[in-house]
Amino acid sequence: MTDSDYMARALELAARGKGYTSPNPCVGAVVVKNGRIIGQGFHPKAGAPHAEVVAIDDAAAKHPEKLAGSTIYVTLEPCNHFGKTPPCTHKIFNAGISRVVVACKDPNPVAGGGIDFLREKGLEVVSGFMEQEALTLIEDFVWNVQNDTTPFVTLKCAATLDGYIATRTGDSQWITSQASRNFGHELRHQNDAILIGSGTLHGDDPSLTARIEGKQTRDPARIILDTRLTVQETAKVVVQKSTAPTIIVTGPDCDPGKILRLKEKGAQILECRVFENLLDLNDLMIKLRKLSITSLLIEGGGRVAASALAAGIVNKICYFLAPKIMGGNDGIPVFNGSGPEKIKDVFQLARVTTRQFGSDMLLTGYIEPQNRSGNGGR
């Protein structure tokens, strides 16, 4: 096996923590001696031991005599500060490990400095190995270190080849395959919160939970855009049992009696500015970040999707295309609203990748900062 094989294993381990570690990044580590993995692990949740500690303890329990002179592969620069846990750099040095291979440096200056510390102690450190793969895995964490006022936002769409999310009657079950829908639940699990509009709420009465067969999942907080507080008090998002909260976002002057009844059922009410009769999504993003929501998945409706793009709040797009054609022009489109007049003004995706789910294709891309318009959009 090569360095690439060992780091690929560390990245695979790190991905197991995705959805559990917020606001921490997911990290994986592998300890190798004489071409053999002798210890491995990942960061399971915030406040728990870091990946390096888990991997070193795993190796020490099985092969204590082999730790000296070994190599550790870790997806993120080992921390060098005392927080809820001791520095991982000290653990690595005290274990007698002689070589450290790091995928990406820690963007958090408080936790950084691990590479310099280890080199000063005489360890060989290789940095930047499979860096892009590691950064993609923790992209929400990187964003929040560099932009601590708004969450990292992923817009998920699912459409026919001719760009519709439902028929003219609103029927949308199911445009995409079971495999695509399973991955959609994985995205819910990976994000702190999920957002839909009141139209989707009334049309589908969704649970907005993360349900993956054979896997313990974490439900995202449910964010409902509902300017005039039209949500039914019997809606699933209000009455279902979940460890995650339901946050209903409204404008001013809503019925105080209904607000009280919804609160008594456990829902939270969050008031935001209204612009041209629509909720101000930029104002909402700031408020959500103050509630410690660091990653947000937008699922709901053509109007919400168009407003999110227009508001300039979207970082990443996950666009599912099903090999189906409505064959008319009266379906409900992916984006509902006014678009640009010129092609030069359309949203351009960068770092585009594709992936197959059954017969569906998932196209993933990023809206670079210079292409995020922020023109009103609510």
Side-chain angles (χ1 to χ4, degrees), residues 302-318:
R303 189 176 185 182
V304 170
S307 294
L309 281 179
I313 65 170
V314 177
N315 299 87
K316 177 181 180 179
I317 293 182
C318 290

Side-chain angles (χ1 to χ4, degrees), residues 90-111:
H90 293 204
K91 182 81 172 181
I92 292 170
F93 175 70
N94 293 332
I97 292 171
S98 60
R99 181 171 180 255
V100 183
V101 182
V102 176
C104 63
K105 292 184 177 180
D106 195 328
N108 187 345
V110 174

Side-chain angles (χ1 to χ4, degrees), residues 115-190:
I115 290 175
D116 291 340
F117 173 88
L118 293 169
R119 283 175 174 161
E120 289 169 1
K121 292 296 184 180
L123 280 71
E124 177 189 353
V125 181
V126 179
S127 178
F129 197 82
M130 299 183 72
E131 180 179 34
Q132 190 54 57
E133 293 91 332
L135 286 172
T136 299
L137 192 61
I138 61 168
E139 59 194 5
D140 51 347
F141 172 75
V142 175
W143 169 265
N144 281 281
V145 169
Q146 299 172 348
N147 307 269
D148 63 355
T149 57
T150 60
F152 183 88
V153 177
T154 300
L155 173 62
K156 171 185 164 285
C157 309
T160 61
L161 291 179
D162 45 355
Y164 293 108
I165 61 175
T167 67
R168 65 179 179 275
T169 65
D171 182 34
S172 62
Q173 297 183 356
W174 297 102
I175 284 179
T176 54
S177 67
Q178 184 64 55
S180 296
R181 299 198 299 276
N182 288 346
F183 186 73
H185 280 273
E186 182 68 39
L187 290 175
R188 291 182 179 184
H189 163 72
Q190 292 177 3

